[in-house]
Each structure stands twice: as structure tokens, then as C-alpha cells.
Amino acid sequence: MEGIPHAIPRTVEEVFNDFKGRRSGLIKALSTDVDKFYQQCDPEKENLCLYGLPNETWEVNLPVEEVPPELPEPALGINFARDGMQEKDWLSLVAVHSDSWLLAVAFYFGARFGFGKNERKRLFQMINDLPTIFEVVTGNVKQPKDQSANHNNSGKSKSSAKVSRQSEPQSKMVKISQTPKDEDESGEEDEEDDEQGATCGACGDSYGTDEFWICCDICERWFHGKCVKITPAKAEHIKQYKCPSCSSKRARV
């Protein structure tokens, strides 16, 4: 939510300068100002958003109340995932959403002021020459290489990424939509029995196969994702999940 009015960009160059200003502010929030940003994202507060402003500053604030909003809105509720993830993973997740938001704002201006095909292409090329916020925050800024070599390497990295994702443990998420097939490993069957006999540590309802559940790695209680404000997408980035009760206990200690 931008408290100070800014000039509305109307040309490709103006939209790009707006993009760069907002991008610089977001990078500050996730790097040099990260301690301040972390403190402002209190999970006990309402849904919060991270805004980058055209003057290279940033702010954490509630979403705008007007519907539809004047500009596309950033990811909502970034504060809820803060204590359930490793800090670097949480910052990386916010960075990815910030990259998506910047593109949405830039091309919103393009659509609003009737950019044609060539103007949209030029805007994207100007944006694409800059490292993403995610690349800056994680230190994975990719250097330009020969196109053919780059194409081959990107193919390898994508395939390796798929393998690593598939090999990650899935104990934090329970998504069962079909009757389980016969398993050779008895351990897997035992774990499934435990899940089906569980009740939500927040609302007390019994386990349901059509709902997303997550288990606290500290107290080992199960919770509906909706009860603890964790979605399947957020859970993929959580290495060790702590329920709200365990998080508050650690904070008091």
C-alpha cells in the first residue's frame, strides 16, 4: 500500500524505471534491511504484504482495501510462514513472489497504456537483462553464456531439480486421494494408519483423506493446513515445521 503518490509511468522507459525502483527497494528489504524486515513480519499480525516503491524504498503493510486494487497486489500473508521455515528458505520464497509481483505491475502499466507487441517485447528484454530478486538474494546470479551451452546446461539443471524434488521426504504433507496400493514396506502402512487415526491439534476434527494435513516436527501433532494457515505450496519450502503452539513456546524461552 503506497502512502506517497507517484507519477504514473506511461512509456516503456518510464515503466522500466518504475520497475527498477521497486526492485531496488525489495532487494534492500531482503538483504541490507533484512533484520528490520524480519521483525516487521510478525506472524501474530494480520495478513501482511511486502511492497517495493518506485523511490527505491520498501514497506510491510496490510493489503489495500479497494476492490479491485489500483495496482496488482503482492503475495498476501508472508508473515504467517516466517516461523515455520528456515529464514533463508522463507526469504527465498518472498523473493520469488516479489519477482512475480514486479512483472505483474510492469505489464499492468503496459496493458493500461496500450503497449504494442514491439513495446512489450522491448520492456521484457530490458527487464530480463537484470538478475531476478531471487537470484540476488540467494547469490545465484547467472552469468551469460554461449546460447547453445546455456540451453544444454538449463536442460540438465531442470532434470536434476526434478530428481531432487522427487527425492525429498514427504512426511510433512498428507495428500491421499486414492485407496493406497499394497506396499512392501510395512513402515509406510504404519505411518498411514497413524495419520488416519489422528485429530487436528487446532480444531479437534478427525483425519480426512480429502484434506491437506501437516505434522509438527516438535510435538508431532497433526493439523489441518487451513487451521495453521499453511498451504501445500508453502509446505514444500518448509524443512522443519513448528506449529503455532511450539513456536510461541520457543519465543517465550
Side-chain angles (χ1 to χ4, degrees):
M1 182 167 52
E2 301 177 17
I4 303 175
H6 300 279
I8 299 176
R10 296 175 182 270
T11 67
V12 171
E13 288 71 22
E14 289 174 346
V15 172
F16 181 59
N17 287 334
D18 180 90
F19 177 93
K20 288 195 299 181
R22 296 176 189 274
R23 174 180 174 274
S24 296
L26 293 169
I27 290 175
K28 286 178 184 177
L30 300 174
S31 56
T32 56
D33 297 347
V34 68
D35 291 337
K36 181 180 178 182
F37 169 64
Y38 188 88
Q39 291 298 324
Q40 290 189 20
C41 291
D42 185 351
E44 298 300 319
K45 294 182 179 179
E46 297 182 52
N47 290 303
L48 295 176
C49 301
L50 171 61
Y51 294 87
L53 307 183
N55 60 359
E56 301 186 1
T57 60
W58 60 274
E59 67 175 3
V60 172
N61 214 328
L62 295 171
V64 296
E65 295 182 358
E66 60 181 324
V67 178
E70 182 180 355
L71 292 176
E73 282 288 285
L76 179 66
I78 56 173
N79 50 315
F80 293 143
R82 191 195 73 176
D83 291 347
M85 304 173 66
Q86 295 290 331
E87 181 176 343
K88 64 178 182 179
D89 294 331
W90 176 67
L91 293 174
S92 297
L93 180 62
V94 175
V96 169
H97 283 292
S98 297
D99 281 319
S100 301
W101 176 67
L102 285 178
L103 287 172
V105 171
F107 282 89
Y108 163 81
F109 286 130
R112 179 176 176 182
F113 296 108
F115 285 7
K117 177 180 178 180
N118 291 334
E119 291 172 310
R120 293 194 302 270
K121 183 177 181 180
R122 186 155 61 94
L123 175 60
F124 178 76
Q125 288 174 336
M126 295 167 74
I127 291 173
N128 201 40
D129 285 338
L130 296 173
T132 64
I133 297 175
F134 175 80
E135 289 173 335
V136 174
V137 170
T138 59
N140 294 327
V141 178
K142 299 176 182 178
Q143 300 298 326
K145 297 180 181 179
D146 177 70
Q147 284 189 346
S148 61
N150 196 27
H151 177 74
N152 292 335
N153 289 338
S154 64
K156 291 179 181 178
S157 62
K158 287 180 181 177
S159 62
S160 62
K162 288 180 181 178
V163 172
S164 63
R165 282 182 176 273
Q166 290 172 355
S167 62
E168 288 177 356
Q170 298 296 320
S171 60
K172 297 183 182 71
M173 293 182 288
V174 181
K175 294 183 285 187
I176 304 174
S177 59
Q178 300 177 351
T179 304
K181 297 180 180 178
D182 292 337
E183 299 288 348
D184 293 334
E185 295 83 10
S186 60
E188 245 181 272
E189 293 176 349
D190 293 342
E191 182 180 343
E192 191 171 294
D193 291 340
D194 292 341
E195 293 160 2
Q196 293 181 351
T199 56
C200 176
C203 70
D205 286 349
S206 299
Y207 171 80
T209 58
D210 59 342
E211 297 175 300
F212 169 72
W213 285 60
I214 187 166
C215 181
C216 175
D217 289 311
I218 305 302
C219 65
E220 297 186 348
R221 289 187 298 167
W222 289 89
F223 297 87
H224 288 111
K226 63 184 179 182
C227 290
V228 291
K229 299 184 176 67
I230 298 294
T231 64
K234 287 182 181 179
E236 289 183 4
H237 298 273
I238 300 176
K239 292 184 177 178
Q240 183 184 53
Y241 173 68
K242 292 181 289 185
C243 69
S245 177
C246 291
S247 296
S248 61
K249 288 178 182 177
R250 295 196 64 144
R252 287 197 295 270
V253 174

